[in-house]
Amino acid sequence: MSAPYMLHLHPVTIPSAVSDTIGFDNTKFEDADSADGSMTDGMEHIFNSSTQLRYGRDLRLNEVRRLLCSARPVAIQTSVNPSASDQDLQQAQLWHLAQRTTALPFGRGAFTLATIYTLLTEAFVVPKLVLAGRLPAQQNATVNLDPNVRNIQEIKSWPEFNNAVAAGLRLAPLQGKMSRMWIIYNKPEEPNAIHAGLILALGLHGYLRVLTITDIYQYLYQEHEITTVGMMLGLAASYRGTMQPAISKCLYVHIPARNPPSFEVELQTLVQSAGLMSVGLLYEGSAHPQTMQILMTEIGRRSAGDNVLEREGYAVSAGFALGLVALGRGEDALGFMDTMVDKLFHYIGGKEVHNDRSNSSKLSADEHNRAAAQMMDGTAVNVDATAPGATIALALMFLKTESQEIVSKLSIPHTRFELQYVRPDFIMLRVIARSLIMWSRVHPSQDWIQSQIPDIVKNGVNCLGDDTDDIDEMDAEAFVQAYVNIVAGACISLGLRFAGTKNGNAQELLYNYAVYFLNEIKPVSATSGTFPRGLSHYVDRGTLEICLHLIVLSLSVVMAGSGHLQTFKLLRFLRNRNSADGHVNYGVQMAVSLAIGFLFLGGGTQTFSTSNSSVAALLITLYPRLPTGPNDNRCHLQAFRHLYVLATEARWIQTVDVDTGLPVYAPLEVTIRETEHYAETSFCEVTPCLLPERAILKAIRICGPRYWPQVIDLVPEDKPWWTPGDKNSPFNSGVLYIKRKVGACSYIDDPIGCQSLLSRAMHKVFGLTSLKARDSCSTGDNGPGSVTVDQLVATFSSDPSLIAFAQLCCDPSWKSRSDIDFQEFCLQVLFECVSKDRPALLQVYLSLYTAIGSMARQLSSDSVVLCDSLAISNLKLALAYNEALLSGRLTSSRGGNVQSNFIACLRKQVEELLNYSQDLKDDFCNYVHSGRWPNGESQGDKRQLLLSWYVQWFGVPSPSVIKVAVEKVKPKLMSSSLVPLLHLLFPRTHINAIAEIDKLFSS
């Protein structure tokens, strides 16, 4: 299995057939992560052209703002002189566009999450939700919904609530500066949906802790349904997992199980559902026994009022709450867990394996009265209402526990009778529950998805249209219904498993399935032949639309915050589809809006976590029962769709130039730790970017040639990401300060590394052929715009030695020199010293280079002149220092002083000069035996010089010391070679010299 963060830097190219057919615009947006470019500093595989680098992501962000805007009228296509029938058509078209507009706040809240700061001395303004349209053919005249046809206020209540939530989510973390008086100041005289949405948004940010119990009572006393829902959910989110007693009392008063039977009729089912979910959030992970017993009872409770249609939503809320209370605790929560698990399977539709009477004897009188109102007649259970909640409860209770026992009971139907007995949408929930329990076995591969499909379903779907197979219409429909729901459930599981990871395999797999379902609805492009065809003949389009948009939502969860171009093109196409046929309803528009918001979560600064609490919050948001209209809360309260905020983490990091204080692009190497599925992995990102989760993040390193290297080593911990303002955060609230090297331009000004003045000048000078033909100091013709090397060096450095040396290189006498190699070397050293801001290296490089040149001239000339006697010693010191750095015996924050390849080249040249010739062999033999140097005859001085270099370079001791050592070693010699013992006595002597000494005394 590949590492979860191994996202390809070049997204998969959309085939031209797909782009041309379904309208994916490949030219309007230039992807800053996938364009080609060439660079001179080795980073061409990361950075692109300047325009793409600056504007690629900005174009996408601006397009998202346009797509999610609901504050201006939408355009309606009509004729110049409309008739009565055209006006009816206008109203129908405007109604469909209004449904899309009412769904936009979901995505806008995710897109603008924590992106603005507000003054606590000013009133908070919520943008208006405009459902009007405009007629471009009639000079943009405004047209409104006909109040005689539609009850506009009725359809705007919950959309206005969601719109206010989106506006409130824009608030960035105030780091404890939220004021109670500011919340009270924004409270209207009469309760409304707008302020209720703002209250929920503040609660999701954790700001409602500033309210007192009196303030909370004043809100709840108004008995405004939407305000009560927003306040309870906001309080529970702010006090999540704390079991705060005062907040618990405020929530329990809205749950029928804690009130007399006559009181529950007065409570709306929506308020009761919100109360249950709030209790689950407040007691999250506590495994509180009494709370779990209450929530278990509420899953199977029958409403005493007339809200029969909302019973499934109530049971689902109770199931989510129960799962949150025992989140991931499994069977280690309490001793009565076995009985509770059996009860949940009874609600799902399995056989009851425990005796209710043993438990009923322990109930109080009030609990007996409430039990009479349960949805049970004897052992009969309304599975249609209780199964979803019970399945979700089991999934969260045993999240990541790898419990084979629970998974075996949550089996997928594998016979024709079971396929007819179990509802297809319940099969989807079972697939999700099984995957969440067997967390580590979820793999982003086609084989894993196929393994979730029973053989009977797989064979039945593959045989569709085969006349030789005896499959009746009812069985075929059951096979296809089960198939599409299992695939959708597996895709949702992949989205939860790899949430926020940008996993390349998961992205490609989910994208392929999304295009596959889109083709089944309406053929738009050619897809892989591995998928079964003709599903639309056996399943209604509404089911295919729901499955498609659930897969798209899961895809956006995986790519959350990345702004992935290919995914965005698919989402933009889905949003712009015509909804006149009625199948693209409010629910699917809400899913597309959420998906776009997730893809650009927090403007690209936020992403999702895969911790237990985050997975639970995402599952609440992605619950696969989409609403049919703006006020549809029957199966799942729309306010729950905003709980994804609890799963977000600001893992965004931005590099800032420490000198200018401006944000800059920089290449970043990210290392993630080894797990059971993949080895330790490193990959490259370009800041600003999103980092992996804290549980697997091991190190990040600033790489590239333009900025000084910087390494941050981390200890992977299974903890949430650091909150803004945390003093222990190594990233300073997402900001990493870096320092640019002297002579290098930023990637904004010079994305491909060839626009730097210093770089251009040096590239001109480095052309050896041009050194002979023209002035090597000029970057161009000697015109008014020409720039010389000394001018460039003076621009980037004020060191006198560098400026003087640059002026020497520009002196006219410099051109008369015949040693072109030395001229090139000097210019390279000059560039090295300026770019690394190390002027002292100039003398080091020149002294080492000239020392080797002087040695070579001494051997080639007829006469010997005086030279630096310490040249050999300096070379050996530089060589020893470099070897110590490479071996790790020495450490330096800025690396080696002199380039390693330069030191290695010097070593090779010295060894070539000291080639062991016959003359040197004779001179060395005489030196070791008698201590005599070569005489002054012809070539005597040169031979003396060569022998002295040899003795210094290889560290040969004096002859007397060698003789004493040999005399001591020979009596103890166990073999024919003296080399091992001599090497112990002379550790600083080169092994080659010791071998020669051994030959001299062994012969």
Side-chain angles (χ1 to χ4, degrees):
M1 178 178 176
S2 62
Y5 286 88
M6 291 303 292
L7 172 66
H8 305 294
L9 290 176
H10 303 277
V12 180
T13 305
I14 302 175
S16 58
V18 180
S19 304
D20 298 338
T21 309
I22 64 178
F24 289 169
D25 187 358
N26 279 309
T27 59
K28 187 172 184 179
F29 298 102
E30 295 293 341
D31 186 13
D33 296 332
S34 61
D36 294 329
S38 58
M39 301 177 61
T40 60
D41 56 7
M43 304 303 294
E44 64 274 4
H45 63 293
I46 297 179
F47 291 98
N48 327 108
S49 67
S50 177
T51 302
Q52 293 167 332
L53 196 60
R54 292 183 180 183
Y55 306 119
R57 290 186 178 92
D58 292 341
L59 282 174
R60 274 175 270 170
L61 292 177
N62 291 332
E63 178 70 0
V64 173
R65 292 188 187 97
R66 184 187 68 81
L67 294 177
L68 298 179
C69 178
S70 60
R72 58 174 180 263
V74 294
I76 301 176
Q77 302 300 325
T78 184
S79 59
V80 178
N81 299 314
S83 60
S85 60
D86 291 335
Q87 293 179 357
D88 294 338
L89 184 61
Q90 287 178 11
Q91 286 295 317
Q93 187 178 0
L94 182 58
W95 167 246
H96 293 299
L97 292 176
Q99 289 199 80
R100 186 180 72 181
T101 302
T102 55
L104 294 181
F106 289 98
R108 190 170 65 254
F111 171 58
T112 60
L113 179 64
T115 55
I116 69 167
Y117 292 88
T118 184
L119 295 176
L120 298 182
T121 57
E122 298 179 354
F124 188 75
V125 179
V126 177
K128 292 184 178 180
L129 187 67
V130 179
L131 301 183
R134 58 183 177 86
L135 305 175
Q138 302 179 25
Q139 298 181 350
N140 285 327
T142 303
V143 57
N144 297 308
L145 285 171
D146 189 352
N148 297 323
V149 179
R150 309 285 183 183
N151 189 342
I152 301 177
Q153 292 302 321
E154 181 180 348
I155 68 171
K156 285 187 67 175
S157 57
W158 281 102
E160 285 184 342
F161 171 84
N162 296 324
N163 186 49
V165 174
L169 292 179
R170 293 182 301 168
L171 293 175
L174 299 176
Q175 301 179 12
K177 299 180 181 179
M178 174 55 68
S179 170
R180 165 184 171 272
M181 293 306 301
W182 184 79
I183 299 178
I184 302 300
Y185 173 71
N186 282 278
K187 181 180 178 182
E189 295 182 1
E190 295 294 331
N192 55 47
I194 295 178
H195 188 68
L198 178 60
I199 288 296
L200 175 57
L202 294 177
L204 292 173
H205 279 309
Y207 296 152
L208 293 190
R209 287 175 174 261
V210 300
L211 295 180
T212 64
I213 294 298
T214 304
D215 298 329
I216 297 172
Y217 173 77
Q218 292 294 333
Y219 274 103
L220 300 180
Y221 178 75
Q222 298 172 337
E223 295 185 358
H224 186 252
E225 180 184 23
I226 300 182
T227 301
T228 302
V229 170
M231 176 57 71
M232 288 194 299
L233 290 174
L235 286 173
S238 295
Y239 290 92
R240 183 171 53 146
T242 63
M243 298 190 296
Q244 219 278 343
I247 305 301
S248 177
K249 294 177 181 179
C250 295
L251 300 180
Y252 266 127
V253 75
H254 298 89
I255 297 179
R258 305 293 289 176
N259 296 287
S262 60
F263 183 70
E264 68 180 80
V265 181
E266 302 176 8
L267 294 174
Q268 295 292 330
T269 306
L270 298 183
V271 175
Q272 298 175 22
S273 300
L276 289 173
M277 185 69 75
S278 301
V279 168
L281 291 172
L282 184 67
Y283 285 83
E284 180 181 304
S286 65
H288 191 264
Q290 187 178 11
T291 302
M292 293 175 65
Q293 291 283 11
I294 294 171
L295 296 174
M296 170 65 70
T297 303
E298 295 306 294
I299 294 178
R301 173 185 167 276
R302 177 184 293 130
S303 175
D306 297 330
N307 300 316
V308 179
L309 296 177
E310 297 175 351
R311 277 189 288 167
E312 181 182 342
Y314 184 87
V316 168
S317 299
F320 272 116
L322 177 59
L324 287 170
V325 174
L327 184 62
R329 299 295 294 270
E331 297 179 355
D332 64 342
L334 289 171
F336 61 85
M337 184 63 76
D338 290 340
T339 303
M340 188 168 292
V341 169
D342 291 341
K343 191 71 173 180
L344 288 173
F345 278 110
H346 182 61
Y347 286 149
I348 292 176
K351 294 181 179 180
E352 189 173 14
V353 295
H354 70 285
N355 188 359
D356 284 337
R357 297 179 182 178
S358 62
N359 293 329
S360 62
S361 61
K362 303 177 184 179
L363 299 177
S364 63
D366 290 340
E367 289 171 330
H368 272 295
N369 293 333
R370 286 191 293 270
Q374 289 185 357
M375 295 165 42
M376 301 172 63
D377 296 322
T379 59
V381 177
N382 187 348
V383 178
D384 289 336
T386 60
T391 305
I392 292 298
L394 285 170
L396 295 180
M397 291 167 63
F398 291 89
L399 177 63
K400 302 180 183 179
T401 60
E402 313 289 334
S403 175
Q404 289 283 1
E405 180 182 0
I406 301 300
V407 169
S408 63
K409 293 181 180 180
L410 280 173
S411 59
I412 307 299
H414 55 276
T415 65
R416 297 194 179 191
F417 171 77
E418 290 177 341
L419 289 175
Q420 297 290 345
Y421 177 74
V422 182
R423 276 174 41 180
D425 55 333
F426 291 178
I427 298 178
M428 180 193 301
L429 291 176
R430 292 190 184 186
V431 173
I432 297 173
R434 289 165 57 92
S435 302
L436 292 180
I437 296 172
M438 308 300 293
W439 180 264
S440 64
R441 301 190 183 184
V442 178
H443 296 279
S445 64
Q446 179 74 24
D447 293 337
W448 180 82
I449 292 183
Q450 291 299 317
S451 68
Q452 306 302 306
I453 306 173
D455 291 337
I456 186 174
V457 176
K458 198 180 304 182
N459 296 332
V461 172
N462 291 333
C463 293
L464 293 178
D466 190 354
D467 297 335
T468 61
D469 224 305
D470 186 17
I471 300 179
D472 58 22
E473 191 74 16
M474 185 174 296
D475 286 339
E477 183 178 345
F479 291 148
V480 176
Q481 287 276 4
Y483 175 80
V484 297
N485 280 276
I486 290 173
V487 170
C491 290
I492 294 175
S493 303
L494 285 174
L496 296 173
R497 173 63 178 85
F498 298 98
T501 63
K502 301 185 294 183
N503 183 280
N505 295 330
Q507 182 273 327
E508 184 176 358
L509 184 62
L510 292 174
Y511 179 84
N512 290 336
Y513 269 106
V515 175
Y516 164 60
F517 274 86
L518 186 60
N519 277 316
E520 288 299 314
I521 295 172
K522 183 179 180 180
V524 292
S525 67
T527 57
S528 174
T530 59
F531 298 118
R533 303 294 183 185
L535 302 184
S536 58
H537 299 298
Y538 303 94
V539 65
D540 61 291
R541 178 174 173 178
T543 300
L544 291 177
E545 288 282 356
I546 292 175
C547 292
L548 165 64
H549 287 82
L550 290 175
I551 295 173
V552 167
L553 258 177
S554 304
L555 173 60
S556 294
V557 169
V558 173
M559 308 303 295
S562 67
H564 189 244
L565 183 64
Q566 185 189 42
T567 304
F568 180 48
K569 290 178 178 179
L570 173 62
L571 293 175
R572 189 177 57 175
F573 168 77
L574 292 176
R575 181 194 177 275
N576 294 332
R577 285 192 304 165
N578 185 12
S579 59
D581 55 5
H583 294 289
V584 185
N585 57 15
Y586 172 81
V588 298
Q589 292 286 4
M590 182 198 72
V592 173
S593 175
L594 263 178
I596 295 176
F598 288 168
L599 189 63
F600 295 89
L601 190 62
T605 65
Q606 307 262 346
T607 188
F608 290 125
S609 170
T610 56
S611 63
N612 284 3
S613 59
S614 299
V615 172
L618 284 175
L619 182 59
I620 296 172
T621 302
L622 301 180
Y623 181 70
R625 288 296 297 272
L626 302 180
T628 59
N631 287 337
D632 182 10
N633 291 284
R634 292 175 300 172
C635 298
H636 197 58
L637 193 61
Q638 290 190 35
F640 297 161
R641 303 285 180 182
H642 299 286
L643 294 183
Y644 66 86
V645 178
L646 304 178
T648 59
E649 288 183 340
R651 303 205 300 264
W652 176 79
I653 186 170
Q654 170 70 67
T655 48
V656 174
D657 193 315
V658 70
D659 295 320
T660 64
L662 298 177
V664 293
Y665 296 105
L668 199 69
E669 183 185 82
V670 182
T671 303
I672 56 178
R673 67 174 177 86
E674 179 182 2
T675 67
E676 58 180 341
H677 297 297
Y678 52 85
E680 180 178 309
T681 307
S682 297
F683 59 95
C684 287
E685 291 278 7
V686 178
T687 60
C689 63
L690 295 170
L691 296 177
E693 288 186 89
R694 188 175 176 180
I696 63 174
L697 182 59
K698 187 173 182 180
I700 65 171
R701 182 176 69 89
I702 299 295
C703 55
R706 305 192 189 187
Y707 293 92
W708 290 110
Q710 182 178 348
V711 180
I712 300 179
D713 293 318
L714 303 167
V715 178
E717 296 178 295
D718 193 11
K719 295 180 180 180
W721 195 259
W722 296 274
T723 57
D726 189 349
K727 295 181 180 179
N728 296 323
S729 174
F731 302 114
N732 191 24
S733 299
V735 176
L736 185 61
Y737 290 96
I738 60 177
K739 181 174 179 58
R740 182 165 51 90
K741 294 180 179 179
V742 176
C745 294
S746 68
Y747 287 104
I748 296 178
D749 299 329
D750 186 13
I752 60 175
C754 65
Q755 296 180 5
S756 168
L757 291 176
L758 185 61
S759 176
R760 285 207 305 265
M762 291 304 172
H763 282 300
K764 285 280 188 178
V765 173
F766 286 166
L768 293 182
T769 57
S770 62
L771 287 176
K772 302 176 182 179
R774 66 168 185 254
D775 184 6
S776 63
C777 303
S778 176
T779 61
D781 298 333
N782 293 326
S786 61
V787 181
T788 58
V789 172
D790 59 335
Q791 293 174 344
L792 290 174
V793 172
T795 301
F796 289 102
S797 178
S798 59
D799 186 78
S801 60
L802 294 180
I803 296 176
F805 188 76
Q807 293 174 349
L808 174 63
C809 294
C810 294
D811 190 88
S813 62
W814 186 265
K815 295 184 295 183
S816 61
R817 299 177 63 95
S818 59
D819 46 354
I820 301 298
D821 292 338
F822 181 68
Q823 295 182 44
E824 181 193 8
F825 173 77
C826 291
L827 292 173
Q828 289 177 345
V829 169
L830 181 61
F831 180 77
E832 175 87 3
C833 297
V834 173
S835 62
K836 288 188 175 182
D837 196 16
R838 291 184 176 182
L841 287 182
L842 179 63
Q843 184 178 356
V844 175
Y845 273 111
L846 292 178
S847 61
L848 293 177
Y849 185 92
T850 54
I852 297 297
S854 176
M855 292 173 63
R857 287 193 297 273
Q858 292 279 0
L859 297 180
S860 60
S861 62
D862 296 333
S863 60
V864 177
V865 297
L866 295 178
C867 61
D868 185 7
S869 60
L870 298 178
I872 294 293
S873 300
N874 292 336
L875 288 174
K876 291 184 65 176
L877 179 61
L879 185 63
Y881 180 77
N882 182 68
E883 290 178 347
L885 284 177
L886 295 178
S887 62
R889 297 194 305 272
L890 290 179
T891 58
S892 175
S893 59
R894 301 182 66 179
N897 292 320
V898 182
Q899 292 186 10
S900 299
N901 55 355
F902 177 70
I903 295 294
C905 182
L906 292 180
R907 181 177 191 172
K908 183 178 179 181
Q909 292 188 31
V910 170
E911 292 177 352
E912 289 179 354
L913 290 175
L914 300 179
N915 187 22
Y916 202 62
S917 61
Q918 185 61 42
D919 292 339
L920 180 59
K921 181 177 180 180
D922 297 338
D923 294 338
F924 183 69
C925 179
N926 294 330
Y927 170 76
V928 172
H929 284 294
S930 60
R932 290 186 292 106
W933 288 87
N935 54 28
E937 60 188 20
S938 177
Q939 300 294 324
D941 293 339
K942 189 178 299 185
R943 293 174 63 175
Q944 290 180 2
L945 186 63
L946 187 60
L947 179 60
S948 66
W949 289 345
Y950 184 90
V951 171
Q952 290 184 67
W953 182 255
F954 291 113
V956 179
S958 63
S960 60
V961 175
I962 295 176
K963 289 181 180 179
V964 172
V966 171
E967 291 176 357
K968 290 182 179 181
V969 166
K970 272 196 172 183
K972 302 178 182 180
L973 189 63
M974 303 297 294
S975 63
S976 59
S977 176
L978 299 172
V979 173
L981 295 178
L982 289 178
H983 189 55
L984 291 175
L985 294 175
F986 307 129
R988 297 184 179 182
T989 304
H990 198 276
I991 191 66
N992 293 343
I994 292 180
E996 293 300 326
I997 295 174
D998 177 58
K999 292 179 182 179
L1000 294 177
F1001 285 95
S1002 299
S1003 57

